[in-house]
């Protein structure tokens, strides 16, 4: 059974995920930094640093949300970053942010589904995705689509939450994720489910080696994984 945000709803996971992010979009950036004590900023920096050597000119940021990873991607001096997302609410917050920062000429945010991308094969030098893949309805389809639109030799960098395994971080993390984060998340976002869906979806996600196995299966090469901050988060990289 797929983990979905609204358990009593009959809608697909994709529609529920879009609805949930539409509902929390206005508070998303604040909650991200608040609930992670700002560590998410460091994780995005680490992910983009992995693109520094290959100097990609066309970057696609999948599940871009409000565009923070797309902004970080400008550090590698691309010609353009294209972000896609299924949540119009998140994109609207992102577009306003780009406008305020004067980045609309460098970063384009488009409505688009990672599982059915609107781009031709071999279009991008690099693909990035932060905290998106866990939300896909069909993970393999989403990763295959990334592979299709990436140029041969191009690199994909994926950031996602993972489950710490060592004592005492595992216990501390479980307590925080299950008892503290949902309370503050609900209070601030006013969404009943978003911050219970977060720990549940992390729990159900095939992290670490299992995720590398799926990247291999859909055709990526040189799949690698590094764990960050006691295993709370992981960066996965691969080449087409
Ligand atoms: C946790 S947010 C991450 C946003 C951003 N990447 C960041 O680092 O802050 C997850 C995003 O994935 C998007 N998403 C989920 N499934 C998607 C899909 N199939 N196609 C495109 N975006 C998707 C959601 O709408 C949401 O904006």
């Amino acid at each position: 059974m797929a983990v979905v945000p609204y358990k009593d709803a009959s809608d697909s996971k994709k529609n529920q995920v879009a609805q949930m992010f539409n509902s929390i979009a206005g508070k998303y950036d604040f909650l991200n930094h608040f609930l992670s004590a700002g560590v998410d900023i460091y994780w995005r920096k680490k992910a983009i640093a992995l693109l520094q050597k290959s100097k990609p000119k066309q970057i696609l940021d999948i599940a871009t949300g409000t565009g923070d990873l797309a902004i970080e991607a400008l550090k590698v001096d691309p010609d353009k970053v294209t972000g896609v997302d299924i949540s119009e609410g998140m994109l609207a917050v992102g577009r306003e942010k780009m406008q305020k920062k004067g980045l609309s000429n460098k970063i384009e945010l488009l409505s688009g589904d990672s599982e059915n991308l609107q781009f031709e094969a071999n279009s991008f030098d690099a693909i990035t995705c932060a905290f998106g893949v866990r939300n896909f309805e069909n993970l393999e389809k989403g990763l295959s689509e990334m592979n299709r639109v990436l140029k041969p030799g191009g690199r994909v960098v994926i950031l996602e939450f993972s489950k710490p395994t060592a004592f005492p971080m595992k216990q501390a993390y479980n307590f925080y994720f299950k008892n503290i984060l949902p309370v503050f998340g609900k209070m601030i976002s006013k969404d009943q489910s978003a911050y219970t869906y977060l720990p549940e979806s992390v729990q159900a996600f095939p992290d670490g080696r299992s995720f590398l196995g799926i990247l291999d299966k859909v055709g990526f090469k040189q799949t690698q994984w590094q764990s960050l901050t006691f295993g709370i988060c992981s960066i996965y990289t691969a080449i087409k």
Side-chain angles (χ1 to χ4, degrees):
M1 268 280 282
V3 172
V4 292
Y6 307 108
K7 294 187 186 70
D8 297 332
S10 56
D11 232 357
S12 66
K13 175 172 177 179
K14 193 174 296 179
N15 287 344
Q16 290 195 34
V17 164
Q19 184 191 335
M20 180 187 85
F21 282 103
N22 283 338
S23 126
I24 65 171
K27 294 279 171 14
Y28 176 82
D29 283 347
F30 170 76
L31 273 166
N32 241 356
H33 307 324
F34 175 68
L35 293 172
S36 75
V39 186
D40 64 305
I41 298 169
Y42 157 76
W43 292 335
R44 287 192 187 82
K45 282 188 197 302
K46 283 285 272 192
I48 295 301
L50 295 172
L51 292 178
Q52 197 62 258
K53 251 200 204 151
S54 55
K55 299 252 171 293
K57 288 296 159 202
Q58 294 293 331
I59 301 180
L60 176 64
D61 184 38
I62 300 252
T64 193
T66 60
D68 277 359
L69 193 65
I71 295 175
E72 186 62 32
L74 294 179
K75 296 241 173 87
V76 301
D77 197 26
D79 291 338
K80 185 179 172 189
V81 183
T82 306
V84 290
D85 203 282
I86 49 168
S87 163
E88 286 304 329
M90 295 286 274
L91 288 168
V93 173
R95 287 188 189 117
E96 201 182 316
K97 196 191 294 182
M98 300 313 159
Q99 210 146 34
K100 274 194 189 139
K101 289 180 182 282
L103 297 175
S104 306
N105 60 333
K106 276 280 194 183
I107 298 178
E108 186 178 25
L109 300 184
L110 302 173
S111 178
D113 178 0
S114 316
E115 292 159 46
N116 192 9
L117 290 168
Q118 62 266 55
F119 309 105
E120 288 187 5
N122 310 325
S123 298
F124 295 94
D125 302 305
I127 294 189
T128 57
C129 182
F131 312 107
V133 291
R134 177 177 38 87
N135 299 296
F136 291 176
E137 186 165 303
N138 185 332
L139 179 57
E140 275 187 31
K141 184 88 201 313
L143 298 177
S144 305
E145 276 291 271
M146 289 189 194
N147 188 279
R148 182 182 67 79
V149 302
L150 188 61
K151 287 183 190 167
R155 181 180 294 266
V156 61
V157 179
I158 297 173
L159 259 181
E160 191 49 88
F161 286 113
S162 43
K163 301 175 275 284
T165 50
F167 174 86
M169 202 53 204
K170 177 180 171 182
Q171 285 68 19
Y173 164 90
N174 281 341
F175 182 79
Y176 175 74
F177 242 48
K178 288 184 185 146
N179 299 292
I180 298 179
L181 178 135
V183 174
F184 281 101
K186 185 173 166 180
M187 204 165 74
I188 298 169
S189 74
K190 310 276 187 256
D191 188 282
Q192 293 299 315
S193 308
Y195 289 86
T196 45
Y197 164 76
L198 173 56
E200 286 170 6
S201 59
V202 174
Q203 202 58 38
F205 185 71
D207 61 0
R209 287 201 189 290
S210 308
F211 189 69
L212 292 189
I214 306 174
L215 287 172
D216 288 332
K217 188 176 168 195
V218 303
F220 283 106
K221 291 180 272 189
Q222 298 176 39
T223 53
Q224 287 181 349
W225 143 61
Q226 75 182 87
S227 131
L228 305 174
T229 321
F230 309 107
I232 294 172
C233 184
S234 293
I235 303 183
Y236 305 90
T237 60
I239 304 288
K240 176 172 174 183

